[in-house]
Amino acid sequence: MRKMEVFVRLDNPGKGLSAARRPRLQLKRSLRWATLLGMAGMYCVDDLMNLAAREGAEELRLQAGQPPVMVVKGAAHALNLPPLTSDNVTELFRSFATEDQVQELQLCGDVRFNHVFQNSARFGISASLGREGICLKMKNLGR
């Protein structure tokens, strides 16, 4: 798995770099992960999904103990971000799942549904419970 790094512009957090510069995407610590990490170091699911849609990612994977992973053109790229904790993944899932979807995950061990994130594409969500907590796979279904 290759590391994928992303430059994030603080002056306009809704925009990334031009397509010509995408092969050299890099997130710098000096930018403090401004648009991908919310308050107190928590990840923001809308920003992660917008990044995935903007970069043409086929899938975004979130699992405890690993940084977020984007699949682009069939290759998995770990984002240069801190590893997710079990609490991070659980909070991200609860931020967009309905109460019924959360209950189905707890009762059955997995749940699948489609979701449209703010200003982003549609994603097919697959959540499963494992030893480390919730594992999320979000497949980009387009607009």
Side-chain angles (χ1 to χ4, degrees), residues 9-21:
R9 292 178 49 183
L10 290 177
D11 61 329
N12 193 349
K15 293 199 173 207
L17 295 177
S18 67
R21 301 214 31 213

Side-chain angles (χ1 to χ4, degrees), residues 40-91:
M42 297 302 299
Y43 284 87
C44 176
V45 73
D46 285 329
D47 290 333
L48 286 168
M49 300 318 294
N50 286 332
L51 175 65
R54 189 172 58 242
E55 297 303 322
E58 297 135 26
E59 187 173 88
L60 179 68
R61 300 173 185 163
L62 305 176
Q63 186 172 354
Q66 299 178 13
V69 173
M70 280 198 309
V71 178
V72 180
K73 295 183 181 177
H77 302 276
L79 297 180
N80 188 20
L81 294 169
L84 293 156
T85 65
S86 180
D87 290 341
N88 290 145
V89 180
T90 299
E91 187 167 323

